[in-house]
Amino acid sequence: RRQRQMCIRDRDIRAGRLLLLDPTGFGAVDGLEVRVRLPFHLELRAASGVEVVSGQHLSSGSFEVDGVIRQRRDDFDPLAHPEVEDPQTRVVVAGGASLVDVDWLTAGVAYRHGMVPDDGIHTSYQRLAGSASFTTRYVRGGVLASGDLALALLDELSAELQARPLRWLLIGVGARYDAPVFDTDSIFVAFWAEPGVQGDLRIEVAPLRGLRLGGLALVRQAGFLSPGDDSELDPESFRFGGEGYARMRSGRYRGELRARLSDGFGGRRVGVDARFVARLPGDRVTLDFRGTLLGLREDIDPEEHAISLGYVAGARYRMSREATILFELEHNYSRDIGQQLRFLALLDLGFWI
């Protein structure tokens, strides 16, 4: 018994809709997850289930990569709308190891394999990734590397460093190489998909207590040339973008307003994000609102414009220490998909056994 306690410190088993957030990316599956805590601050995890993709029952497109479209073809001509993909059932097996409970350092590796049982089993994607980050009083930074084993391709390599030379000032720089890849069961219709390198500069100031103002400027060189490539650098291959934001926190209230712009990535995106959270007196009820307004224009057809609007309004009621109930209303609208309305009611129970 003593030997067992020295080997396994803690374990956690979860079943249902699971959110997967690790170096391989973000996603969700309906299945089972097991986590085991070992000595030396090491945690092992394994998960398997059916991946949540848009177009399926009880699913959402919120977990999809931007630009990937999956919908039923019932009302579409496949020749006229090739960007609309039939939803397919995809089984995911995932696992990883991470360093936990270390104040200044986090690190981990993760593996995720997506398979489609269609006339046999074929691989949709097979990803392996690792990341590490550190935080000190004045400096923090991190690195990330990921690749697709099925394609034998390193698709992302990034590093960032941030420093706070003054209490009210934050300065950060970042560099990134990426070669976007997508699973074999989707159609990608976003603004760019060629490899590229990107650099960015971030500045944040805190002029008043509870208020932060910041901005980010980035430049990207698309169609990155490999070291052995003798082609000339095209000035038109450079893309530009940026964002500005304001964050407020005061007692029971906090809010954020963020404006974004990207130009030259095959078109132009201009958007505004907003969020407001209020914790009512008594600490039992929390109200949450978040919304996005996004305008798109493509270079292929400059006369073609699109506007997308989405928001989520929710309320959380804590009945006791062990029980919480959550209500959420989600509304999305765009010219291509029309109106989408969802309502969620969730009862969260947590008991020690």
Side-chain angles (χ1 to χ4, degrees), residues 27-314:
V29 299
D30 293 329
L32 180 69
E33 180 184 45
V34 178
R35 293 174 179 258
V36 177
R37 185 73 60 87
L38 300 178
F40 306 106
H41 303 282
L42 182 64
E43 180 181 81
L44 304 180
R45 62 186 181 278
S48 182
V50 177
E51 188 169 12
V52 178
V53 297
S54 60
Q56 295 180 342
H57 298 296
L58 300 178
S59 66
S60 169
S62 303
F63 309 108
E64 296 279 12
V65 177
D66 289 342
V68 171
I69 292 183
R70 307 177 200 274
Q71 288 179 339
R72 299 188 183 279
R73 293 185 182 270
D74 298 344
D75 301 322
F76 293 91
D77 180 356
L79 297 179
H81 301 276
E83 74 278 7
V84 179
E85 176 71 11
D86 283 327
Q88 300 190 43
T89 300
R90 186 159 58 198
V91 178
V92 172
V93 176
S98 57
L99 191 66
V100 296
D101 295 337
V102 179
D103 294 338
W104 63 276
L105 177 65
T106 61
V109 294
Y111 171 80
R112 192 180 303 179
H113 189 181
M115 298 164 284
V116 175
D118 183 15
D119 295 332
I121 297 179
H122 74 263
T123 293
S124 181
Y125 60 84
Q126 191 176 12
R127 300 189 56 78
L128 178 65
S131 66
S133 63
F134 71 93
T135 302
T136 65
R137 183 175 181 182
Y138 298 105
V139 181
R140 64 180 180 181
V143 294
L144 168 69
S146 68
D148 193 302
L149 300 180
L151 301 177
L153 176 66
L154 176 68
D155 63 355
E156 183 174 352
L157 184 63
S158 62
E160 66 172 352
L161 184 66
Q162 296 183 358
R164 191 177 292 277
L166 301 173
R167 187 174 182 180
W168 53 270
L169 176 63
L170 174 69
I171 301 176
V173 294
R176 173 180 176 182
Y177 162 80
D178 62 78
V181 295
F182 311 95
D183 62 77
T184 59
D185 304 297
S186 65
I187 302 297
F188 187 69
V189 291
F191 289 91
W192 82 90
E194 66 266 89
V197 292
Q198 176 177 305
D200 60 70
L201 172 66
R202 179 186 300 273
I203 297 178
E204 182 182 273
V205 297
L208 300 173
R209 182 177 181 181
L211 177 63
R212 294 182 179 273
L213 305 175
L216 169 71
L218 65 88
V219 58
R220 177 183 175 88
Q221 193 269 314
F224 176 69
L225 302 180
S226 61
D229 196 337
D230 297 331
S231 303
E232 295 184 359
L233 187 64
D234 183 5
E236 296 185 359
S237 65
F238 287 90
R239 319 289 193 239
F240 302 93
E243 67 178 26
Y245 59 89
R247 296 173 180 167
M248 178 272 298
R249 180 185 294 269
S250 177
R252 299 178 179 275
Y253 307 97
R254 58 186 175 94
E256 180 176 353
L257 183 65
R258 186 181 298 267
R260 308 173 186 269
L261 168 66
S262 61
D263 197 6
F265 298 93
R268 174 176 294 178
R269 290 179 174 182
V270 180
V272 177
D273 301 333
R275 184 172 187 184
F276 178 75
V277 179
R279 185 163 45 89
L280 302 186
D283 296 334
R284 286 184 175 271
V285 178
T286 302
L287 305 179
D288 191 348
F289 174 85
R290 53 192 185 273
T292 299
L293 177 64
L294 182 64
L296 311 173
R297 189 195 68 185
E298 296 187 20
D299 288 344
I300 298 178
D301 188 359
E303 301 298 326
E304 196 72 20
H305 299 274
I307 295 179
S308 175
L309 171 66
Y311 65 87
V312 177

